[in-house]
Structure formats: C-alpha cells, structure tokens
Amino acid sequence: MKTRLSGTTSWSRLFFRRPATNNAEESYYAASHWKLMLRKLMKHKLARISLYVLAMMYLMVIFANIIAPQGLDSYDSENLNSRPSKLHWVDPQGNFHFIPFVYGLKSSRDPVTLRKIFVEDKQKWYPIQFFVKGTEYKFLGLIPGNVHLFGVEDPGRIFVFGTDSLGRDLFSRIVLGSQVSLTIPLVGVSISFFLGLLIGGISGYFGGFIDTVIQRVIEIIRSFPTLPLWMALSAAIPPRVPIVHMFFYITIIMAFIEWTELARVVRSKFMALRNEDYVMSARISGVSNARIIRVHLVPGFMSYLVVTMTLAIPAMIIGETAMSFLGLGIRSPAASWGVLLQEAQQMENVALYPWKLIPLGFVIITVLAFNFLGDGLRDAADPYK
Amino acid sequence: MKEQPIMQVRNLVKEYPVHGGIGRNRQGAAVKAVSDISFTIRKGETFSLVGESGCGKTTLGRCLVRGIEATSGQVLYYTDEGVEVDFLQAKKQEYKAIRQNIQMIFQDPYSSLNPRMTVYDIISEPLRALSTLTKSEIDERVVEMARRTGLNISYLRRYPHAFSGGQRQRIGIARALITNPKVIVCDEAVSALDVSIQAQIINLLKDLQQQYQMTYVFISHDLSVVKHISDRIAVMYLGRIVELAPTEELFGQPKHPYSEALLLSVPNPDPTVRRERVILQGEVPNPANPPEGCHFHPRCPYKTALCETSAPELRDAGEGRLVACHHADQLKLKGITEAIPV
C-alpha cells in the first residue's frame, strides 16, 4: 500500500472509498459522529424499542386510509355506543373456523337498567375478510382507492374499539386521527427548529445587546400561561376554515411557544462551542467565519438539537390533544386523538362506555416512546465517553 | 543567523472588561491580562514564555497568532524579503500570506481537534483555507506531513476519538506545520501529555525545527522542559515580562527575585543534593486590581520602600538581558547550575 501511496493518484479516493482493513476496530475508528451516535442509541434498549413503536405508528399514519375499515364521515345510526366486537373462532355448532368471524348485533334493552345494549345474534356470522372494498378514499390525498385492509361483508359490522355516540367506528377514527395527531408535532417542531436555529443563532453569535433583547422576549413568551394563550390565539382563527388550514394554524400556535426552548439550546451551545479550542484552531488556520459556523459550530450542536427536538415532540402531542380536547383545535368530523377524547369529557361516557378512553392509550404510548427515544438520544449525543 | 528578528512585539495590551451587576454599576474595571509587553523574537530560535498560572502567557501567545484580538499594540512580522508587516492590522491577501507563516500548537489535544472531522480533514484544513493548491497537491502534502510527524497513513481516514493523547498531539503538530510556517507558538504543547510521551513530542518538535528552520515561541510552566529546548526565556508575572535572558544565564544567575523563586521551585530528582528554596509568601494579586509600585513587591523577600511606590521599567542589564527590578544590580540571586533532567 505504501508504494502505491507515493504515486500521483488522488489520495482522498483511497482514504474514503475503501476501508484499509475490514475488522470491527477499524470501522469503529473510522466511524463518524452520527454513526457512533446510532451505535450507542441502539445499545439503549428502551430507545430501540421506542424506535420500533414509533416506526409502526408512522407506518399507521401513512397507510391510515387502508388500515381503517371506515372513512372519517362514515357513521352507523344503528350502532350507537356499540362495544368492541368480539372475535370468535368456534361457531354455536362447535365447528372451528380458521378465519375468525364476528356475530351480527341486535339491539335490546337491559331488563334491569332499561339501558340499550347490543347482544350477539348467533344466527348470523360474518368471517373477517382481507382487502375488501369499502368507503372511497384518496391514499395520501392523491391516489383514489377503496380497498381496506380488513372488514366484514354487509350488513355485518366490525368495531375493533367500539363506536361513539354517533355510531362512528372508534378504531377507524383513531387511525385516521393519528394523521393529525402525529404529524402536527413534526411540522410544529420543524417550524420551531427553523425559528430556534435562526433566533438562537443570532442571539449566541452576536451576543451583547441583541442577545439581551432576544432572551428577555423569550422569557416573556415562556411566562405566558399556555391555556389562555391558546384560547386567545385560536379565537383569532376564523370559525369556518377548511381542515387543512386549521391544521396549519394549530401548528403555528404550537410552534410559537415551542421555538423558545430550541433557541435557548442553540444559543447556549453556540456560546459554549465558540470558546472550544478547535474553533480557535480553525480561526488560526484562516477558516472564514461563515465556514466556522457551518463546519465547526452547527454540526457541534446538531446532535443536542436533535435530542431537544425529540423531547419537544411529546409536549406538542399533548398540546394538540389538549387543544382539541377543549374544542380549541381540530373540530369534528375531522379527527385527532384529542377530538376523540372529547366524548370522554362526560362522566356518563367513561362509566358506561369505557372504550372511549382508548385514544388516551395511544397518546400515552406515543408520548412515552418519544420520551424514551429522546433519553436514548441524549445519552448517545456525546458518544466519545 | 540567530540575530535576525522574525517577529517583534510592541506595546501589546490585552484587556478584558469586567462586568459587575447591571445598570449603573456596569462600568467595571478592565483586567489587563497582557499589559504593555514588548520583545523581539529572533529567526530560528526557541523563545520561551514562563510564569505561573494566570500570568497572561497563554493570552499573549494567542494574541501573537491572532487567536484573540489584542486591545492595542503591534505584532510586527518580518517577511523573507525583510519587509516589516503588522500582523494585527493585516487584511485579506496580506493576512492570508502571514497567516500561513504563523501557526499554533495547542495545549489540550482533546479539545483542539474537532471530533466530527477525519484526521485528513483536520490536517488539511489550513491548506484548504489558505492556499490555492489543487486537491491532489493537498493530498500529497498531507501524506508527507503525516509521515514526518510519525502518523500512519491509514490513520488519515479515522476520527480523533481513535487516538491517544500523544498521537492526537502529533495530529495537532501536523496541522500546524502543513502550511510550512516560519513561526510556531506552542502553547503548553506537552503539558497535557505523559512524561514519556512528552519526551517523544519534544524531540519531534526539535527535529522538525531543524528540518524546516522554524522559530518556536514556547509557552510553558514546566522549567525543566523549557531549559531543555529554549535559547532565550522571558519570565512573566501578572501580565508583564519581568526578566528576559538567554537560557544559560537565566538558570545560572537570575536577576529578578521572581525568576529566582521560580527556578528554585523546580524539584530536584537527586535526593543527595539539598537546595535552598525561596518560598513565595501570599497569593498572586488580583490582576483587576494590581498593587502599587512593583507588582511583585507584596511577595518579594528583597523589597524596599522604593518598590512600594515606583514600578520598575524593563531595562537592559547587559549580556543581552532585560530585567524589571530596581535592585537587579545589587542582588546576588541564586540559580540552579546542576543539570535538570527532562
């Protein structure tokens, strides 16, 4: 190898294209910051599991229209407040069915409480079918389709998580609601990332008077009580806006508060890194200021920023849920997890139809997953220890 | 040859503002980390700056390379053609040209290398920023420099986290030398290393100095290392030079009481030799509020009434020595004559 290196070919090609040796040690030595971070993250068990959970959640977001057996507008006035359907494998005659089936439902009254209840009609059963044709939708808002992952033949009904007071399938609405509940935080965090990087960068780079002003403004924004602030901001939204606009407004409201956190992280990291020896070394080597910021400063705190962003997402999910729960955010018939929880505002609903709390489980799982992932990332952000 | 100047420092001052409180109290005093220092560095020599922590030697070194901007003063650099340029005022092209000739080696090899860059990128960065060489020329220079500093070529694609302190310092040296500089400021370049590694790095620095005819400004608190490599030594106290002398003369017979105390504090590894020591009383004064008269007088065992009121100038004491003490001529101060091992 040495003899080849004394030739006139471009050495960089030799350095970067092909590892000198293929053993594990060399791959560790030649691992970049992000590679090391990923390695360390994957050693964090809880973070790894959370990553898989979140991957599944977001797959659900992408394929929501296909996974949900019904559409957002579907309702069934025959089956109000219906409990989750039970799956059966054995029919009344004792025959085993390989593909599970659900019984038809007929309504009756409870002889004691006189409440309307549904009993299974053992005469009619409907085996579960896969890739059935159902409500029309547009996949990702573009490609029209009507195939759903699973369903049963009319007039049978399958309600995985039961129905709400209008007879809408809760499972479908949770899946479709995730499209709002899980993307608002991402868009919101992206906006606050942009604002935080810009304003925090200005604050940390210029320092002095500008820094003081920006920091005081951040303190003022952060000292607002969030609830009245949300109310005021959502009162400013026109009442009859299309769902897409509503989504956009809410994202902006969330980001308006969230960017302050990121701006602070950026500023403090900027100030810390500015005094690193390697930054002075770059200055002494004649590297321009713009390049120092781009090559030495920003990559230096990017990993910490990713951590802060990941930990900011749960706050946004809860924020959106809370806003919608209070009726300040997304409104029916559009769905988000907060909207679905609105029905759980009444004690009666929680007591009689406990399945209406299921969306809460999704919120909790997602928030926990993001928190654990953020924890793992925080440990991995400085992988040199 | 060693008489020709390569760098001249004139009245260099670096002040740090002290902020106290808010509002009206904000107007605070300034700490003079470097206060009105002038000296000349000769071509090819190793010029050392010594002193205890906080005396301003690191700040001075960083001002010389414009790692931090000095408050006032000049750092004159003499080009090969003998043209005198003030580096602190240099702009654009002129700046780039001198920049290539004045580089620095850092104390801490762990924080001076960007952990997110490969060794190749670290070493080649000054060339990419300052020179107009092509990619393959830069590659050639990097490989050459890696070889000279004892780095395996296969290391170049690794990241700094793969290396020990000594190897990292070699990377730092390769980076400082890549532009073929004439003057290198070594800021405690070996202090963070193990003693065995120190010797290796010092020998490497000496070899490279001979090969490339470089001038070193060596900043250190370790007198045994300084004695080993320097031609001349400047002793700093509280932001000023108190004595400047050739190595042999300074160690043989210091002329400033502070130099004496500093020299006699060097531990002697030979248990049979008992050496007298001068233990300094008190603490280093607060640089924001230095004492009247000679800054050293509160701790000086030889002080007189004169020292408390009048500050001594740095004056010529013959044999190419400078000293800032009123009583330099009367005092018979002790040096160390025996060899001190590195």
Side-chain angles (χ1 to χ4, degrees):
Chain A
M1 179 153 176
K2 268 207 167 138
T3 47
R4 286 189 57 196
L5 279 174
S6 56
T8 51
T9 44
S10 175
W11 305 131
S12 56
R13 205 178 281 171
L14 277 172
F15 303 144
F16 300 122
R17 286 282 167 78
R18 191 176 55 89
T21 46
N22 263 334
N23 58 33
E25 215 170 87
E26 183 60 35
S27 85
Y28 172 72
Y29 290 152
S32 71
H33 179 79
W34 293 108
K35 273 191 201 156
L36 287 177
M37 204 168 149
L38 190 66
R39 264 183 198 221
K40 203 162 174 195
L41 180 67
M42 282 313 190
K43 280 189 193 149
H44 196 292
K45 207 172 189 178
L46 223 43
R48 199 175 59 218
I49 294 169
S50 302
L51 205 59
Y52 298 146
V53 169
L54 291 174
M56 276 163 61
M57 289 279 188
Y58 280 96
L59 277 178
M60 178 171 92
V61 168
I62 294 171
F63 296 104
N65 291 69
I66 297 173
I67 295 169
Q70 312 219 345
L72 263 185
D73 305 323
S74 323
Y75 65 97
D76 188 345
S77 49
E78 306 268 294
N79 290 297
L80 311 181
N81 297 323
S82 170
R83 65 165 58 249
S85 316
K86 279 191 188 129
L87 290 181
H88 298 270
W89 276 269
V90 183
D91 64 24
Q93 282 78 41
N95 300 326
F96 179 79
H97 294 257
F98 194 69
I99 294 172
F101 60 87
V102 292
Y103 286 113
L105 296 174
K106 60 181 183 209
S107 68
S108 68
R109 293 232 169 241
D110 187 303
V112 182
T113 60
L114 296 180
R115 188 154 62 87
K116 204 177 166 194
I117 53 165
F118 293 94
V119 288
E120 289 178 333
D121 180 358
K122 307 249 165 164
Q123 302 309 310
K124 294 180 256 179
W125 67 71
Y126 308 94
I128 289 182
Q129 297 169 324
F130 292 96
F131 301 107
V132 292
K133 289 202 162 67
T135 4
E136 299 275 333
Y137 58 81
K138 278 191 172 164
F139 181 61
L140 298 176
L142 296 170
I143 310 153
N146 60 1
V147 177
H148 294 264
L149 184 62
F150 65 94
V152 292
E153 214 169 83
D154 266 347
R157 293 278 182 271
I158 180 162
F159 305 121
V160 180
F161 292 154
T163 61
D164 66 8
S165 54
L166 290 175
R168 295 178 290 198
D169 177 28
L170 197 54
F171 176 74
S172 300
R173 289 178 67 76
I174 287 177
V175 173
L176 293 169
S178 71
Q179 286 189 316
V180 171
S181 289
L182 291 180
T183 47
I184 277 191
L186 292 194
V187 180
V189 163
S190 315
I191 296 176
S192 31
F193 170 78
F194 178 74
L195 284 175
L197 197 62
L198 188 75
I199 302 178
I202 291 173
S203 188
Y205 188 78
F206 290 105
F209 181 69
I210 299 174
D211 181 38
T212 312
V213 170
I214 290 176
Q215 291 312 309
R216 295 302 86 79
V217 169
I218 287 178
E219 270 154 29
I220 290 167
I221 291 177
R222 290 187 70 85
S223 63
F224 282 149
T226 36
L227 221 50
L229 186 66
W230 284 342
M231 289 170 84
L233 289 173
S234 54
I237 302 174
R240 295 188 185 281
V241 291
I243 173 76
V244 183
H245 291 199
M246 195 66 203
F247 176 91
F248 196 63
Y249 287 130
I250 292 177
T251 330
I252 290 176
I253 294 177
M254 305 295 305
F256 178 72
I257 299 167
E258 204 58 46
W259 68 265
T260 52
E261 181 92 7
L262 287 155
R264 288 225 151 147
V265 173
V266 171
R267 169 181 175 266
S268 65
K269 280 286 153 199
F270 226 99
M271 292 179 133
L273 289 173
R274 208 171 49 175
N275 295 324
E276 282 283 330
D277 273 357
Y278 67 76
V279 174
M280 180 175 290
S281 172
R283 199 175 309 135
I284 290 171
S285 303
V287 182
S288 67
N289 272 334
R291 206 180 141 77
I292 286 180
I293 292 176
R294 213 174 65 242
V295 177
H296 294 278
L297 292 178
V298 173
F301 60 66
M302 204 44 103
S303 51
Y304 295 94
L305 212 56
V306 168
V307 174
T308 317
M309 279 166 67
T310 314
L311 291 173
I313 290 176
M316 286 225 173
I317 293 178
I318 291 181
E320 185 275 324
T321 307
M323 278 177 83
S324 300
F325 179 80
L326 295 172
L328 302 172
I330 304 282
R331 286 157 215 179
S332 269
S336 82
W337 293 345
V339 171
L340 300 181
L341 283 169
Q342 268 176 6
E343 287 210 7
Q345 277 177 2
Q346 288 141 25
M347 207 54 214
E348 175 206 349
N349 274 330
V350 181
L352 299 176
Y353 319 114
W355 54 87
K356 288 182 182 173
L357 284 175
I358 291 175
L360 196 62
F362 279 80
V363 175
I364 293 172
I365 289 173
T366 316
V367 167
L368 281 180
F370 270 114
N371 274 328
F372 288 138
L373 180 66
D375 264 356
L377 280 172
R378 183 160 47 197
D379 290 348
D382 195 358
Y384 305 106
K385 283 171 194 153
Chain B
M1 173 203 157
K2 285 193 177 178
E3 293 304 309
Q4 213 180 338
I6 187 149
M7 232 179 168
Q8 194 176 13
V9 178
R10 277 191 202 157
N11 305 95
L12 196 73
V13 176
K14 175 66 190 175
E15 287 179 350
Y16 286 104
V18 184
H19 291 296
I22 47 168
R24 250 178 241 174
N25 298 333
R26 220 186 160 106
Q27 208 67 27
V31 172
K32 281 195 173 180
V34 173
S35 86
D36 198 12
I37 280 185
S38 305
F39 59 89
T40 306
I41 300 165
R42 299 174 190 153
K43 201 169 182 176
E45 75 172 342
T46 301
F47 183 87
S48 285
L49 288 167
V50 300
E52 61 200 305
S53 303
C55 70
K57 54 190 193 298
T58 292
T59 309
L60 175 58
R62 294 190 165 181
C63 286
L64 292 188
V65 294
R66 269 182 89 170
I68 48 181
E69 296 295 329
T71 311
S72 65
Q74 291 176 307
V75 174
L76 303 176
Y77 175 79
Y78 297 92
T79 60
D80 286 342
E81 296 81 41
V83 184
E84 183 185 285
V85 193
D86 185 1
F87 181 45
L88 299 187
Q89 302 298 325
K91 296 265 166 4
K92 298 207 173 121
Q93 282 312 312
E94 198 181 40
Y95 172 78
K96 274 194 170 184
I98 304 176
R99 176 90 282 168
Q100 294 199 37
N101 284 320
I102 304 177
Q103 283 293 315
M104 178 160 180
I105 300 170
F106 285 83
Q107 169 175 14
D108 183 357
Y110 286 87
S111 67
S112 61
L113 308 179
N114 187 342
R116 287 165 187 79
M117 288 166 83
T118 61
V119 173
Y120 173 85
D121 286 332
I122 290 171
I123 296 178
S124 62
E125 190 177 43
L127 276 186
R128 282 181 283 132
L130 293 169
S131 75
T132 52
L133 298 179
T134 64
K135 185 98 189 64
S136 62
E137 282 170 325
I138 289 178
D139 287 346
E140 234 162 290
R141 284 279 281 280
V142 171
V143 169
E144 163 77 6
M145 198 44 75
R147 206 172 52 74
R148 298 233 167 175
T149 48
L151 290 166
N152 193 320
I153 291 164
S154 69
Y155 291 172
L156 291 175
R157 47 185 297 281
R158 293 184 178 178
Y159 285 84
H161 67 85
F163 299 95
S164 65
Q167 283 171 314
R168 279 164 175 255
Q169 201 57 304
R170 285 174 193 270
I171 298 169
I173 293 171
R175 176 188 166 100
L177 262 57
I178 195 80
T179 55
N180 273 336
K182 300 285 188 303
V183 180
I184 301 241
V185 175
C186 309
D187 181 10
E188 304 268 13
V190 295
S191 312
L193 306 175
D194 284 354
V195 180
S196 58
I197 310 291
Q198 275 191 8
Q200 283 179 23
I201 298 292
I202 287 170
N203 290 335
L204 174 68
L205 286 173
K206 279 183 128 179
D207 291 347
L208 291 168
Q209 184 176 30
Q210 282 197 334
Q211 277 176 35
Y212 293 106
Q213 275 98 49
M214 285 181 297
T215 308
Y216 284 155
V217 178
F218 202 87
I219 300 169
S220 182
H221 61 266
D222 186 345
L223 287 171
S224 46
V225 170
V226 166
K227 186 177 188 200
H228 187 63
I229 67 166
S230 341
D231 296 309
R232 290 192 305 150
I233 299 175
V235 181
M236 283 184 72
Y237 186 77
L238 221 61
R240 293 163 194 259
I241 291 180
V242 293
E243 182 167 7
L244 194 160
T247 309
E248 287 305 314
E249 280 85 342
L250 183 78
F251 274 80
Q253 208 213 355
K255 291 207 173 207
H256 194 282
Y258 179 67
S259 314
E260 181 193 39
L262 208 59
L263 289 177
L264 296 183
S265 72
V266 177
N268 192 330
D270 185 351
T272 60
V273 178
R274 281 205 78 82
R275 205 162 62 201
E276 246 183 287
R277 308 183 91 170
V278 179
I279 310 286
L280 286 182
Q281 301 299 312
E283 293 285 314
V284 184
N286 178 4
N289 188 15
E292 296 276 305
C294 174
H295 285 180
F296 186 57
H297 86 257
R299 302 173 78 190
C300 182
Y302 311 104
K303 70 159 185 258
T304 61
L306 177 65
C307 305
E308 285 169 29
T309 50
S310 126
E313 291 286 310
L314 190 64
R315 60 194 166 86
D316 198 337
E319 305 166 320
R321 308 177 64 157
L322 300 171
V323 65
C325 178
H326 292 303
H327 309 295
D329 301 329
Q330 295 90 356
L331 292 173
K332 281 275 170 265
L333 300 175
K334 285 176 283 295
I336 35 179
T337 41
E338 75 271 13
I340 38 175
V342 176

